[in-house]
Amino acid sequence: MNLDLKAINQCVRCGSCRTFCPVFEESGWESANTRGRIMILKGLTCGLQPDLQVLGSLNTCTTCGICTENCPAGVNPPEIIENARRQLVSLGKMTCQQADLSRNIFASGNTFGDGRDRLSWLTDRGLLTKKADYVYFAGCMNSYRYTETAANTFALLNRFGATMLPAEQCCGSPLLRTGFDARRFIDENCRQIANTGAKTVITGCAGCYTTLKKSYPQDFRVLSVPEFLAERISEMDIKPLDLTVTYHDPCHLGRHNQIYEQPRQVIRAICRLKEMKTSGKAARCCGGGGGVRAGYKDLSLKMAKKRLEDVPGEVDYIVTSCPLCIRNLRDAGAGEKVIDLVDLVAMAMQ
Amino acid sequence: MTDILQELKGIVGDRVSASPGERCCYASDASQVVGLPDFVVRPKSTSQVSRLLRLCSEHLIPATARGAGTGLAGGCSPVRGGIVLDMSGMNRILEIDYENQQVIVEPGVVAEKLNFALKPYGFFFPPDPGSMAMCTIGGMLSYNSSGMRSVKYGTVRNYVLDLEVVLADGRVIHTGKKVLKSSAGYDLTRLFVGSEGTLGIITSAGLKIAPLPRTRKIVLACFEEAEIAGQAVIRIFSNGITPSACEILDRTTLQVLKLCDPLLAIPEDGDVILFEVDGTESSTSEAARQISEICQPTAKSVRIAVGAEMDSIWSARRLVGAAISRLDPTKTRIYMGEDVGVPIKEIPALIKKVQQIAVKLDIPAMKYGHIGDGNLHVALFIDVMNKEQWEKLRLAADRIHRAAMDLGGTVSSEHGIGLARAGYLPEQMGMEAFSVMQSIKKALDPKGILNPGKMGL
Ligand SMILES: Cc1cc2nc3c(=O)[nH]c(=O)nc-3n(C[C@H](O)[C@H](O)[C@H](O)COP(=O)(O)OP(=O)(O)OC[C@H]3O[C@@H](n4cnc5c(N)ncnc54)[C@H](O)[C@@H]3O)c2cc1C
Ligand code: SF4
Ligand code: SF4
């Protein structure tokens, strides 16, 4: 395999990552730790065979980036791991779960393999203008699972002149995270975005955000919903709510893109904010990213349960800005207490 | 092999792995020593360890204990194959008996976690290796680890009251009692401390703890050259002052620290000595003042830091050794020749020799360490894809080890011998003393199954 040995060799095997890799914390096996994954990658360059256990080690990384943030040697493990997943997939080495996920997406354009209309939640199609300054990119999760959030977001953004793509496709994030080629989807979404003439694409999903920002051609500006809202909060008709909420930083908004302050700004404009036990750069991962929820649900939920232990007492809601985090935290026991930032804004505007 | 795997499963259930990927992850620590295990097991109790060792003894299978694998000498690398016992899952704090100033812990407890648990009681476990956030008590005991505060508080050895040890044939012994001192028989406790898993496997430890000092302060003194800095340290000690830490950071170390935390207010041009003093508000103020006064005449600058600033300096310092590639991403720190120690008075001479070795071989060297107890860490960093640089590195490490021995010092002050430094041990100890070590090993592990190949045994 042709892995980036320079990046791999930067790891000095100090083991510091044992203290922060959330997967290792659950598993206890060195192969579930950042350092172990890097050792396995090195092994692959010298004859180790990519059997199921090896794939399990690499595929259980949530790409949360907490190791990148803390590694004293400046290694960027999720980047190295994603690169390796890509090479393995190109060699036909993948788990059944990886194969199923990609099959679904390639067959239906969404992660669920759902044949229904992606815009079924939109009651008034007349709101979709052909040309617009902004495009709201809803993503698979909000289009199919959290349609109310999609509707709330579009209602907010539409006031500022946002439209949606007529036939939005999966952004490609789940494919890219798990090692597949997503060019087909990137090209198709880009073509539709170009047709609208929009120079800004706004998304409420942290996974879509990272992908649009880092894997798409830089023909348009990408904004996350919290960034957009923080810029426009004064123009919105918001009334304060007598609530206390906490905020969960999605890894792909926070550590991957340094969006920490904007969602907090929006929350503080509405109600009281109590921070979680770990937040910002140090925020614990919900366990759902990097294809872990799709491939290793039990492990993923265990991490989400740990994250819930960080929630401070006496909060009315756990607010976040990523539907993947919402689903995992809800399924881990927090239920409807977990809401999207947009839903909080919608409450304040009622 | 399948039979052994079945037997292992019978002892530890699903906490065993024979998969090539898992074995690859347990082949090394942070050193360059590599040895592939046949099996990895993660025992949960003393009785499991005992049954495992009985099995190993019966089938002559090498058994190598491992904590967090942060060691720098290859101690936990199973260089003769066999079974690695990953002890990090035995991580319960069994008892905090602060009235008797002691705790009982399993070996997998991480040092920093122990200190978090002790803090509410106003106590701490003083040995503080830079790796304390991840290394285990078992690993620390087996290497007689220490850290920045050993200049005042000593090494792990000074804090062990009793060990539960599983011997090579599976028998379980206790080496001490729950008392702060004892004068009964050979000191078996201290025999096992520093034995690197070659004499038995530690399954619990009774440790002495100390009251947390009320306050700490640091004095940052910057000097033109490391030699002048070394002389200032000697003056401090000869004036009867015992700082709680006394660290040297050379110019390269200061650059790396700045890269780790750009906000650190540390000098960048010079060699810095970091003195820490602890105690009451008035005693630390007085000691910091005295240290400043003694350094002033030869220092370029002297400054006192407290509180959050002090904490961020310490946290950057702790992992600086691993952070050197931030200075030059094409190079990787290789832990070799990194832990020599000499009598304090010889520190300036050692620094000079190391400098000469590095210049002669044209290999970059960062120097930092616990100058207060004569322990100098030399960080050599190379492009690991370059064979010639590897050669130079080996040569430099060898010369540094020999330089320390020539000055009456040791090839390892705290990181241990493992395989990385095994070749020097007979020379440093003398053949007669080394043969005593061989006899002890033979008496306790006649079949040679415990961590074979280490320490030259
Ligand atoms: C960045 C960095 C900084 C460091 N700073 C310091 C420092 O300041 N001071 C210092 O002293 N060290 C330091 N070290 C070295 C290392 O962290 C210590 O030696 C530590 O004590 C090793 O602990 P471990 O749990 O990782 O042990 P391992 O490396 O897993 O094992 C160490 C040895 O202990 C044996 N062992 C482990 N558990 C048991 C057991 N239960 N019974 C019997 N034998 C056992 C192993 O066989 C091996 O020989 C540093 C390392 C790194 C990577
Ligand atoms: S913290 Fe960084 S350098 Fe250390 S073992 Fe983990 S990835 Fe490697
Ligand atoms: S990105 Fe997260 S899950 Fe992946 S290795 Fe790093 S810390 Fe572990």
Side-chain angles (χ1 to χ4, degrees):
Chain A
M1 276 179 72
N2 183 22
L3 295 168
D4 182 357
L5 263 177
K6 265 217 155 87
I8 291 174
N9 284 331
Q10 219 180 327
C11 166
V12 293
R13 293 195 304 278
C14 67
S16 298
C17 37
R18 284 174 68 97
T19 57
F20 30 78
C21 177
V23 184
F24 174 69
E25 189 180 18
E26 293 307 328
S27 147
W29 289 100
E30 193 68 58
S31 65
N33 184 30
T34 321
R35 174 175 65 177
R37 295 188 176 98
I38 294 177
M39 288 176 81
I40 280 187
L41 292 180
K42 198 153 188 189
L44 287 173
T45 65
C46 8
L48 178 68
Q49 291 306 306
D51 60 14
L52 270 181
Q53 189 272 340
V54 164
L55 294 181
S57 160
L58 299 177
N59 290 350
T60 49
C61 163
T62 67
T63 69
C64 70
I66 197 159
C67 49
T68 318
E69 195 67 46
N70 291 286
C71 168
V75 182
N76 184 354
E79 191 178 280
I80 306 175
I81 292 164
E82 275 186 17
N83 176 18
R85 289 177 183 173
R86 214 163 25 248
Q87 290 207 34
L88 287 165
V89 166
S90 72
L91 296 170
K93 305 287 180 195
M94 66 188 94
T95 60
C96 302
Q97 292 93 330
Q98 272 174 294
D100 288 347
L101 182 73
S102 72
R103 207 173 302 120
N104 274 345
I105 301 175
F106 281 110
S108 63
N110 64 71
T111 41
F112 306 107
D114 199 322
R116 284 175 303 163
D117 177 12
R118 203 170 166 102
L119 288 169
S120 62
W121 51 270
L122 184 63
T123 40
D124 182 4
R125 301 254 169 160
L127 294 173
L128 298 186
T129 52
K130 283 212 166 88
K131 295 283 174 193
D133 291 339
Y134 303 108
V135 162
Y136 165 47
F137 192 95
C140 301
M141 283 293 290
N142 282 343
S143 298
Y144 289 100
R145 293 293 183 266
Y146 302 126
T147 50
E148 203 178 316
T149 301
N152 282 338
T153 314
F154 186 55
L156 263 175
L157 300 181
N158 186 243
R159 297 162 170 227
F160 297 100
T163 188
M164 291 194 67
L165 302 182
E168 182 188 294
Q169 302 284 301
C170 169
C171 70
S173 168
L175 292 174
L176 294 169
R177 302 283 89 75
T178 55
F180 294 88
D181 183 7
R183 231 165 318 165
R184 187 175 118 192
F185 298 100
I186 295 176
D187 290 349
E188 176 54 21
N189 284 325
C190 280
R191 191 188 61 76
Q192 294 184 43
I193 293 166
N195 283 346
T196 65
K199 288 279 164 277
T200 305
V201 176
I202 307 166
T203 181
C205 168
C208 297
Y209 179 75
T210 285
T211 307
L212 288 164
K213 193 146 186 165
K214 300 193 172 162
S215 306
Y216 276 55
Q218 319 237 306
D219 299 340
F220 44 83
R221 183 178 174 219
V222 183
L223 278 183
S224 65
V225 168
E227 285 173 292
F228 185 83
L229 292 178
E231 271 177 23
R232 303 294 181 119
I233 195 89
S234 58
E235 298 167 46
M236 288 187 262
D237 183 19
I238 290 219
K239 67 170 174 19
L241 299 173
D242 182 22
L243 293 174
T244 305
V245 304
T246 190
Y247 179 70
H248 163 74
D249 288 279
C251 304
H252 279 266
L253 269 195
R255 276 184 293 270
H256 283 263
N257 289 294
Q258 278 70 53
I259 299 174
Y260 297 114
E261 201 34 49
Q262 297 89 332
R264 290 175 166 81
Q265 226 175 303
V266 176
I267 292 174
R268 284 195 209 102
I270 298 173
C271 63
R272 293 176 294 276
L273 172 68
K274 241 187 189 180
E275 289 290 353
M276 290 208 179
K277 200 158 113 198
T278 60
S279 64
K281 281 183 180 174
R284 208 176 244 289
C285 169
C286 80
V292 176
R293 161 84 190 204
Y296 308 86
K297 194 169 170 189
D298 289 350
L299 171 70
S300 179
L301 288 176
K302 275 191 198 162
M303 287 186 265
K305 280 207 173 81
K306 274 265 165 55
R307 180 52 171 158
L308 290 176
E309 289 172 14
D310 283 357
V311 175
E314 291 161 21
V315 292
D316 299 292
Y317 291 107
I318 302 163
V319 178
T320 187
S321 201
C322 173
L324 209 75
C325 300
I326 293 182
R327 180 178 60 174
N328 232 29
L329 295 172
R330 282 188 178 172
D331 291 356
E336 300 300 306
K337 204 170 173 170
V338 190
I339 60 168
D340 195 288
L341 179 68
V342 164
D343 300 325
L344 182 73
V345 174
M347 277 189 242
M349 290 179 73
Q350 263 165 23
Chain B
M1 282 295 183
T2 347
D3 290 351
I4 299 290
L5 182 60
Q6 283 316 316
E7 295 216 40
L8 292 172
K9 280 187 177 159
I11 300 172
V12 293
D14 61 2
R15 294 172 71 90
V16 52
S17 176
S19 79
E22 200 64 61
R23 289 159 53 210
C24 165
C25 296
Y26 284 84
S28 49
D29 53 11
S31 75
Q32 297 305 308
V33 177
V34 183
L36 204 62
D38 297 305
F39 305 98
V40 181
V41 293
R42 298 175 48 227
K44 275 305 256 184
S45 66
T46 304
S47 76
Q48 285 185 353
V49 175
S50 165
R51 287 171 68 194
L52 287 167
L53 288 196
R54 241 180 285 147
L55 179 78
C56 289
S57 182
E58 200 177 306
H59 296 276
L60 297 180
I61 301 168
T64 303
R66 174 182 168 112
T70 69
L72 298 170
C76 67
S77 291
V79 290
R80 305 262 167 87
I83 297 174
V84 163
L85 289 91
D86 175 347
M87 303 298 289
S88 63
M90 285 181 70
N91 57 359
R92 289 174 307 159
I93 297 173
L94 300 173
E95 192 182 340
I96 296 181
D97 183 1
Y98 67 96
E99 282 135 328
N100 277 312
Q101 294 177 45
Q102 47 189 284
V103 290
I104 301 176
V105 297
E106 288 187 330
V109 170
V110 168
E112 192 172 75
K113 291 212 166 129
L114 175 60
N115 278 330
F116 285 148
L118 290 174
K119 201 170 175 193
Y121 299 93
F123 281 85
F124 76 127
F125 178 59
D128 62 336
S131 51
M132 66 187 294
M134 60 271 191
C135 74
T136 66
I137 296 290
M140 287 173 70
L141 287 164
S142 305
Y143 272 152
N144 186 29
S145 297
S146 56
M148 291 176 277
R149 302 208 167 99
S150 67
V151 58
K152 173 168 176 180
Y153 291 97
T155 69
V156 163
R157 179 163 281 143
N158 303 96
Y159 293 88
V160 195
L161 303 172
D162 176 32
L163 295 173
E164 181 182 79
V165 182
V166 180
L167 300 177
D169 57 9
R171 277 178 300 156
V172 181
I173 61 161
H174 272 262
T175 62
K177 287 278 162 205
K178 220 182 152 195
V179 288
L180 291 177
K181 59 183 195 178
S182 168
S183 174
Y186 290 167
D187 193 343
L188 296 182
T189 306
R190 277 171 178 68
L191 176 62
F192 283 99
V193 174
S195 67
E196 303 191 5
T198 61
L199 299 180
I201 293 189
I202 299 163
T203 46
S204 86
L207 305 172
K208 198 160 69 172
I209 51 176
L212 270 169
R214 294 245 184 88
T215 186
R216 291 184 169 123
K217 290 190 175 65
I218 53 177
V219 180
L220 282 148
C222 181
F223 299 87
E224 199 69 63
E225 280 174 35
E227 249 187 293
I228 308 177
Q231 283 148 5
V233 171
I234 296 168
R235 280 202 303 281
I236 302 283
F237 282 96
S238 51
N239 269 275
I241 303 166
T242 306
S244 50
C246 179
E247 294 285 299
I248 185 164
L249 313 165
D250 75 350
R251 281 180 172 77
T252 319
T253 315
L254 295 170
Q255 281 171 19
V256 178
L257 284 172
K258 267 279 197 217
L259 287 171
C260 291
D261 184 350
L263 299 176
L264 281 187
I266 46 170
E268 276 171 273
D269 187 26
D271 289 277
V272 162
I273 304 280
L274 260 179
F275 297 96
E276 186 198 69
V277 287
D278 69 359
T280 62
E281 190 53 47
S282 63
S283 73
T284 52
S285 296
E286 175 57 16
R289 188 192 58 76
Q290 277 182 300
I291 291 174
S292 304
E293 266 179 27
I294 295 172
C295 290
Q296 220 100 46
T298 51
K300 286 171 67 174
S301 67
V302 182
R303 197 165 72 76
I304 295 174
V306 292
E309 187 191 3
M310 178 180 70
D311 292 344
S312 40
I313 292 175
W314 275 142
S315 68
R317 158 62 190 92
R318 279 188 204 291
L319 293 175
V320 73
I324 200 154
S325 44
R326 287 181 184 250
L327 203 59
D328 178 355
T330 63
K331 293 201 163 70
T332 308
R333 159 115 198 239
I334 303 296
Y335 288 93
M336 275 188 183
E338 85 290 348
D339 189 37
V340 288
V342 290
I344 308 181
K345 227 166 59 164
E346 302 294 352
I347 273 273
L350 178 67
I351 291 173
K352 204 168 175 180
K353 278 203 174 185
V354 169
Q355 194 59 31
Q356 284 165 353
I357 293 167
V359 169
K360 192 150 186 200
L361 288 169
D362 186 25
I363 187 165
M366 166 171 104
K367 298 177 289 306
Y368 63 102
H370 319 310
I371 191 170
D373 51 32
N375 182 191
L376 188 71
H377 293 319
V378 184
L380 302 169
F381 46 118
I382 59 162
D383 172 359
V384 292
M385 316 285 256
N386 184 325
K387 268 196 177 145
E388 197 192 327
Q389 290 195 13
W390 270 108
E391 265 322 298
K392 282 185 178 179
L393 173 88
R394 289 200 180 92
L395 214 56
D398 181 58
R399 289 184 187 168
I400 292 167
H401 285 139
R402 294 193 182 283
M405 287 195 287
D406 288 348
L407 291 166
T410 172
V411 292
S412 175
S413 300
E414 56 183 24
H415 295 169
I417 295 298
L419 186 66
R421 286 174 272 268
Y424 300 101
L425 202 55
E427 192 177 330
Q428 180 176 318
M429 294 180 73
M431 242 356 256
E432 293 304 318
F434 186 70
S435 71
V436 174
M437 242 177 77
Q438 287 173 314
S439 311
I440 295 172
K441 168 76 175 170
K442 211 162 179 93
L444 285 175
D445 179 20
K447 293 181 180 170
I449 59 158
L450 288 171
N451 208 356
K454 303 299 163 57
M455 295 175 125
L457 297 166

